[in-house]
């Protein structure tokens, strides 16, 4: 291929065209920046200096001077909601909806933002009305997500089940674990009303939707035990190990209780020793310690606690060791041991907490749904000795 000399003339031409384009862009940016109020730049400066309160006031001044700044309205409304200033967020989004000439896409976005304001403010009826209206729009996916959250907060579990099934089809996102929990909640309601058969039916529904529903098997065992069917209860509870070995921490006391009522506690201890070998967790150890102390005596329980303390040192295990040592302690040592045990037990009880793996919320009792962030199955079934 031969070199064409006219290309030499083209290079300067391309350079000049590029320079002209850059000049046009620069002039456009300068013109647009001059058109913005000084308050806008003050607001940006406050944000950069981490002064959000002053930034908000500056941006509010921009909104007053330039009411057409739609995106800034949305940004401020969202910022107010995140900061918990829900009255201001609601007013901001209501004002947007009242504006004439608002594009349809912006109107739907304003409705969605307003619904989220209502939801965070606990105005569930208003939020439900807004998101129900959005079901027939392009915002239907988001609307169904928030409607499901509303039904859960209202504890309207049948509506939550129906909404979750539709949302699964719309988004292809599996919600079977959540739906199983909704059926478990309905089972709780039926059980409280004395409708044991209806409760069992709801638990069967939960397991048909999610075979890994630990909660459904645990509740099925509770219903069997309440009806005196302890063999069936033990079978239900022992199934939990095949679903989640960690959740056996919630089950061991129940299993031993039924074995005790059947007069076969020794069989329960044998099963628990095997479980502890497979799942050496603090709660499983605690149940085993109490059972061994009951059947085999303080000496065997003390030996068990010493072995556990060497393997997994913890205040809780130390408390159990001191408890066992007290039984056979000499009179002159008993008072000192009692003081030590009281101190260790008090500190251990303050520290033992269940914790949400999603938001870090700590609680003395186990929750299937975190009271703080609302996530299902986010609590570790094992209590930990964290900070008090």
């Amino acid at each position: 291929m031969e070199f064409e000399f006219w290309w030499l003339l083209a290079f300067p031409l391309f350079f000049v065209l590029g320079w002209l384009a850059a000049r046009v862009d620069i002039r456009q940016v300068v013109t647009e920046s001059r058109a913005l109020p000084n308050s806008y730049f003050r607001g940006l400066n406050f944000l950069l200096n981490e002064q959000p309160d002053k930034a908000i006031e500056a941006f509010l001044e921009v909104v007053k001077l330039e009411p057409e700044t739609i995106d800034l309205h949305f940004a401020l409304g969202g910022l107010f909601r995140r900061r918990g200033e829900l009255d201001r967020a609601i007013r901001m989004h209501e004002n947007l909806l009242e504006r004439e000439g608002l594009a349809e896409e912006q109107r739907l976005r304003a409705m969605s933002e307003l619904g989220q304001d209502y939801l965070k403010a606990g105005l569930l009826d208003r939020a439900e009305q807004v998101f129900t209206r959005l079901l027939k729009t392009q915002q239907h996916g988001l609307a169904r997500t928030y409607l499901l959250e509303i039904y859960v907060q209202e504890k309207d579990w049948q509506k939550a089940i129906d909404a979750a099934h539709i949302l699964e089809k719309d988004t292809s996102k599996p919600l079977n674990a959540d739906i199983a929990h909704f059926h478990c909640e309905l089972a709780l309601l039926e059980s409280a009303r004395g409708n044991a058969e209806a409760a069992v039916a709801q638990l069967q529904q939960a397991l048909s939707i999610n075979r890994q529903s630990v909660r459904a098997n645990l509740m099925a065992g509770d219903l069997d035990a309440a009806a005196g069917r302890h063999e069936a209860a033990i079978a239900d509870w022992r199934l939990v190990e095949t679903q989640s070995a960690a959740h056996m921490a919630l089950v061991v006391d129940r299993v031993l209780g039924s074995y005790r009522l059947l007069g076969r506690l020794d069989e329960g201890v044998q099963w628990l020793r095997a479980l502890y070998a497979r799942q050496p967790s603090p709660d499983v150890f605690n149940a085993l310690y109490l059972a061994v102390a009951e059947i085999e005596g303080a000496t065997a329980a003390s030996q068990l606690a010493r072995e556990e303390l060497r393997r997994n040192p913890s205040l809780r295990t130390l408390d159990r060791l001191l408890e066992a040592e007290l039984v056979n302690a000499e009179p002159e040592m008993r008072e000192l041991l009692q003081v030590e045990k009281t101190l260790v037990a008090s500190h251990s009880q303050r520290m033992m907490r269940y914790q949400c793996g999603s938001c870090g919320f700590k609680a003395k009792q186990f929750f299937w749904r975190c009271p703080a962030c609302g996530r299902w199955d986010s609590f570790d079934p094992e209590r930990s000795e964290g900070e008090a």
Side-chain angles (χ1 to χ4, degrees):
M1 178 176 170
E2 295 183 1
F3 180 75
E4 299 287 346
F5 286 98
W6 63 268
W7 286 4
L8 296 174
L9 299 175
F11 288 133
L13 178 62
F14 291 146
F15 176 79
V16 171
L17 290 174
W19 181 81
L20 288 173
R23 292 285 294 171
V24 170
D25 288 341
I26 291 170
R27 285 175 181 173
Q28 184 178 356
V29 170
V30 170
T31 302
E32 289 179 355
S33 66
R34 284 175 179 169
L36 289 169
N38 289 332
S39 306
Y40 180 80
F41 296 102
R42 287 208 318 274
L44 288 178
N45 188 51
F46 285 136
L47 280 180
L48 291 173
N49 291 322
E50 298 183 357
Q51 295 177 281
D53 292 333
K54 292 182 178 180
I56 287 174
E57 296 306 319
F59 286 137
L60 284 173
E61 188 176 333
V62 177
V63 169
K64 291 176 184 176
L65 294 171
E66 300 288 339
E68 298 305 314
T69 52
I70 303 296
D71 287 336
L72 190 53
H73 279 74
F74 281 124
L76 278 172
L79 185 58
F80 285 142
R81 184 170 64 244
R82 287 192 296 275
R83 287 167 58 89
E85 299 180 57
L86 299 172
D87 288 341
R88 300 178 83 178
I90 289 170
R91 283 199 304 271
M92 184 71 69
H93 293 129
E94 285 178 340
N95 289 338
L96 273 176
L97 284 173
E98 292 170 1
R99 179 174 297 188
E100 294 183 2
L102 196 66
E104 180 65 10
E105 183 180 349
Q106 292 172 330
R107 188 180 69 83
L108 294 177
R109 182 182 172 188
M111 285 180 64
S112 175
E113 294 290 333
L114 182 60
Q116 294 175 56
D117 296 338
Y118 287 148
L119 179 57
K120 190 163 185 180
L123 303 173
L124 301 184
D125 290 343
R126 292 188 188 181
E128 185 175 353
Q129 289 173 6
V130 171
F131 290 122
T132 300
R133 287 171 59 192
L134 287 171
L135 285 177
K136 297 180 181 179
T137 71
Q138 295 175 349
Q139 297 271 355
H140 62 88
L142 189 65
R144 289 196 189 283
T145 300
Y146 283 116
L147 280 171
L148 175 56
E149 185 176 339
I150 289 168
Y151 298 146
V152 169
Q153 287 195 33
E154 292 177 335
K155 300 186 185 301
D156 193 334
W157 303 115
Q158 189 56 57
K159 277 189 176 181
I161 290 168
D162 297 338
H165 279 302
I166 296 172
L167 190 59
E168 269 192 325
K169 293 178 183 177
D170 278 0
T171 62
S172 299
K173 177 185 176 182
L175 293 171
N176 57 317
D178 287 5
I179 296 171
H181 276 295
F182 303 156
H183 281 289
C184 288
E185 293 288 347
L186 285 175
L188 277 177
L189 292 175
E190 295 293 355
S191 179
R193 295 173 188 143
N195 300 329
E197 290 184 7
V200 169
Q202 289 293 341
L203 295 178
Q204 289 172 346
Q205 283 270 34
L207 285 168
S208 69
I209 290 167
N210 179 25
R211 299 304 302 174
Q212 298 304 309
S213 176
V214 168
R215 187 183 185 187
N217 275 329
L218 192 148
M219 289 178 64
D222 289 346
L223 287 173
D224 280 330
R229 298 187 295 270
H230 291 288
E231 290 279 9
I234 291 170
D236 292 329
W237 291 324
R238 288 178 62 169
L239 279 174
V240 169
E241 188 180 3
T242 65
Q243 298 170 310
S244 170
H247 281 83
M248 290 305 289
L250 304 175
V251 171
V252 286
D253 289 333
R254 289 172 162 90
V255 174
L256 285 179
S258 281
Y259 271 124
R260 184 179 287 105
L261 289 170
L262 289 170
R264 292 157 41 194
L265 186 56
D266 54 342
E267 185 180 337
V269 172
Q270 185 180 354
W271 165 79
L272 192 53
R273 283 188 181 279
L275 174 66
Y276 181 63
R278 298 190 299 271
Q279 183 71 17
S281 73
D283 282 319
V284 173
F285 162 76
N286 192 58
L288 178 59
Y289 167 86
L290 292 173
V292 167
E294 182 178 346
I295 291 181
E296 301 176 25
T299 302
S302 176
Q303 181 61 33
L304 182 69
R306 286 179 185 279
E307 293 172 1
E308 175 64 14
L309 199 59
R310 292 192 195 99
R311 217 173 7 242
N312 300 302
S314 71
L315 286 175
R316 192 180 186 191
T317 307
L318 179 59
D319 177 43
R320 289 309 189 190
L321 176 59
L322 291 171
E323 180 182 279
E325 293 291 322
L326 265 170
V327 175
N328 297 322
E330 296 294 330
E332 61 271 14
M333 289 294 296
R334 187 166 298 157
E335 185 176 352
L336 179 59
L337 282 174
Q338 183 61 61
V339 171
E340 291 176 353
K341 182 190 176 337
T342 301
L343 289 172
V344 170
S346 175
H347 193 57
S348 175
Q349 287 170 9
R350 282 202 309 272
M351 294 176 67
M352 294 298 290
R353 293 289 186 274
Y354 293 104
Q355 184 168 359
C356 174
S358 177
C359 69
F361 178 79
K362 295 180 181 179
K364 290 184 178 180
Q365 70 180 88
F366 178 84
F367 290 99
W368 293 104
R369 179 172 180 262
C370 178
C373 68
R375 291 283 299 274
W376 292 96
D377 291 321
S378 62
F379 266 68
D380 191 325
E382 282 281 359
R383 286 175 291 179
S384 60
E385 290 184 352
E387 294 181 3

